[in-house]
Amino acid sequence: MRIRKFSAGILLAVALFSFSPLVSASKSVPKDVRYLLGMYYGNASVFLVRENKGNLEIAFHSDAEDKDFSFANIFPLKKVRFDSYTLKEDGPILSAEAPVHFERDTDGNGIVCKIGGKRFARNFFPGEGNKIYRVEVSGDYNALKEAARQADVPVKLQQGKAAKLVSVRAAVPSAKIALRYTGADTIFGIPLHDAADAFMDSEAANALQKASEKLAAYGYGLLIWEAYRPWYVSKLASDLMPKDKKNMLPLPDRGEDRNTGRTIDVSLYDLQTGEPVDMISDFDEVSVRQFPGFTGGTERQRNLRDLLVSVMQDAGFVQGKEEWWHFSYGDTKDWQHLNIPYEQIKTN
C-alpha cells in the first residue's frame, strides 16, 4: 500500500483554513449575556461562566493546579427566562438538576450566581466592572528613570549575538503601532518610555510580515503593543515595582527577552474597520485570562486568540507560557540584551 506524504505547508494550510469557519461562525454575544461572563467563587468553589456556541456554560474548577481552567468540568446551562437557567448534570448512575439565577449591579454586570441554595460572588477581572489593576509605584519616578538610564548592563547580558533592529512600521506596513507603555493605561499608571515606533530584529520582523500576510486573508491585522525594550526600561519597570511584587517582572541582573529585540507583544485589529478586536483579555492583565490556555470568555474570543497563535507559530514564533500575546522568534538565550535608547536606533 502506498502512503501519501503531505508537506508541512499543506497540513498547516488545512489547519489554518479550519479557523476561518470557526471564527466566522462564532458571532458576537449580546451585551446582557456578555455581562454575566466571568469568575464566581464561594463555598470553597471557583468556576467560570463562559459562552460556547451561543449558550452559557459553567466551567467548574476542580484542580487548584489548573490555573487556566483548561481541565475544568463543563456544565451547560439551559435558559428558562431572563437571568434564570437550569444546570443539568447527567451521570452513569444518577442525574441532577439545579436552578441557576444571576443577580446584577446597576450597570448590568452579573455580581452573584445562585446555584440551588448556594450563592457565589463575582470576582471581577481587571477592566471589568470598573475595576482597574494598578501597583503602588515605589520611589520617585523621575529619579528612578534617570538612574536607570545611567546604569550599566551586567556583563553577562552583553554576550551573544546582537540583533539588527529595524522599524516594525516599515517592515510590516499593515501593522498598527499602539505601544501601551508610552501611556498611562498600564499596571503602573504612568509611561515607561516615549518610543514613537516599535523595533525588532530584522529576521524576526520578516517573519512578522509573513504572519501579517496570513492574517490578512482572515480580515485581521497585527496590533503591536510592545516590541524591543532597552535594558534600562526593563530596569525602570523593576525598580518601580513595590518590594512585595518584584517577582512579577524579571530582575534587572537577569534581563528579559524583550531586550534582545526578538520578541513581540501583539493582538489583532479588524482590517475593515481599523478597530482593535475584542480579545479574551487586555494587555498585561494580571488575571487567569492572560494564560494561553484560558478556557473562559466567549467562543469567538477563544477562536481569535488561537488563530493568532497558529499564524504566529507558523511564522516561526514561540508563544510565551504566561501571556497569550507574547511571542519570541526562536530561542532568545544566545542573544545580547541591548540597551540602545529608542531615539538612537538607526534602521537604515
Side-chain angles (χ1 to χ4, degrees):
M1 180 177 65
R2 296 183 63 184
I3 299 176
R4 179 178 293 180
K5 296 182 179 180
F6 293 93
S7 70
I10 293 176
L11 291 176
L12 181 70
V14 172
L16 288 176
F17 177 77
S18 67
F19 276 106
S20 183
L22 285 175
V23 173
S24 60
S26 51
K27 299 179 180 179
S28 299
V29 179
K31 183 183 294 186
D32 65 312
V33 175
R34 191 170 71 249
Y35 278 19
L36 298 176
L37 307 182
M39 180 183 290
Y40 295 80
Y41 67 98
N43 301 286
S45 297
V46 179
F47 61 85
L48 299 173
V49 174
R50 73 173 197 174
E51 180 270 340
N52 190 39
K53 302 186 186 306
N55 300 308
L56 287 184
E57 295 179 338
I58 284 180
F60 182 73
H61 197 241
S62 57
D63 184 353
E65 299 300 318
D66 182 22
K67 59 185 180 181
D68 57 9
F69 286 76
S70 58
F71 294 100
N73 295 316
I74 306 298
F75 301 98
L77 299 181
K78 182 179 180 181
K79 188 170 184 178
V80 178
R81 57 184 178 277
F82 184 74
D83 285 351
S84 292
Y85 298 80
T86 298
L87 182 152
K88 186 173 182 179
E89 180 180 3
D90 291 317
I93 299 177
L94 56 85
S95 297
E97 285 190 1
V100 177
H101 182 76
F102 292 94
E103 296 178 4
R104 301 176 185 257
D105 62 16
T106 54
D107 294 323
N109 297 298
I111 54 174
V112 170
C113 177
K114 294 193 296 185
I115 302 178
K118 297 180 179 180
R119 293 172 61 89
F120 300 88
R122 174 85 170 271
N123 181 21
F124 284 100
F125 296 119
E128 292 183 336
N130 299 317
K131 178 182 178 182
I132 300 175
Y133 183 86
R134 292 282 188 271
V135 298
E136 185 177 349
V137 173
S138 174
D140 179 80
Y141 170 71
N142 290 319
L144 290 173
K145 184 177 181 180
E146 181 59 28
R149 291 279 298 219
Q150 300 302 322
D152 294 324
V153 181
V155 174
K156 63 181 180 181
L157 298 181
Q158 300 180 43
Q159 300 172 358
K161 295 177 286 187
K164 179 184 178 182
L165 297 176
V166 299
S167 162
V168 174
R169 180 176 281 114
V172 190
S174 66
K176 278 185 174 290
I177 310 299
L179 301 177
R180 292 289 289 272
Y181 277 101
T182 60
D185 189 16
T186 69
I187 59 175
F188 296 105
I190 51 178
L192 284 185
H193 59 81
D194 58 359
D197 194 2
F199 302 92
M200 67 188 308
D201 178 60
S202 59
E203 185 182 18
N206 289 336
L208 193 67
Q209 170 60 11
K210 293 179 181 178
S212 177
E213 292 169 356
K214 282 187 170 63
L215 282 170
Y218 299 98
Y220 299 106
L222 289 168
L223 186 67
I224 311 301
W225 280 336
E226 188 77 344
Y228 162 70
R229 179 184 290 179
W231 178 84
Y232 73 85
V233 176
S234 298
K235 176 173 171 54
L236 173 61
S238 179
D239 292 344
L240 288 172
M241 276 289 184
K243 290 183 179 180
D244 63 335
K245 292 183 173 59
K246 291 290 186 185
N247 63 348
M248 289 178 61
L249 295 174
L251 295 175
D253 64 341
R254 295 182 180 180
E256 62 169 320
D257 55 7
R258 291 185 182 92
N259 305 151
T260 69
R262 306 270 291 182
T263 69
I264 193 86
D265 294 332
V266 293
S267 185
L268 299 173
Y269 77 92
D270 189 302
L271 286 175
Q272 186 173 5
T273 66
E275 294 297 317
V277 169
D278 178 27
M279 298 297 278
I280 204 159
S281 81
D282 195 7
F283 173 61
D284 260 11
E285 179 178 305
V286 184
S287 82
V288 297
R289 298 198 299 184
Q290 73 182 42
F291 294 120
F294 177 66
T295 192
T298 69
E299 180 189 22
R300 184 174 182 81
Q301 289 172 334
R302 295 189 297 273
N303 286 341
L304 286 168
R305 176 197 61 196
D306 295 345
L307 170 63
L308 172 64
V309 174
S310 181
V311 169
M312 291 292 285
Q313 288 178 337
D314 174 42
F317 288 88
V318 178
Q319 187 183 35
K321 295 181 179 179
E322 301 293 322
E323 300 162 332
W324 62 260
W325 58 80
H326 189 75
F327 296 88
S328 297
Y329 188 68
D331 195 337
T332 62
K333 67 178 182 179
D334 294 327
W335 292 78
Q336 290 184 28
H337 291 247
L338 304 178
N339 198 30
I340 308 171
Y342 295 109
E343 67 274 12
Q344 295 181 18
I345 296 176
K346 297 179 180 180
T347 59
N348 295 331

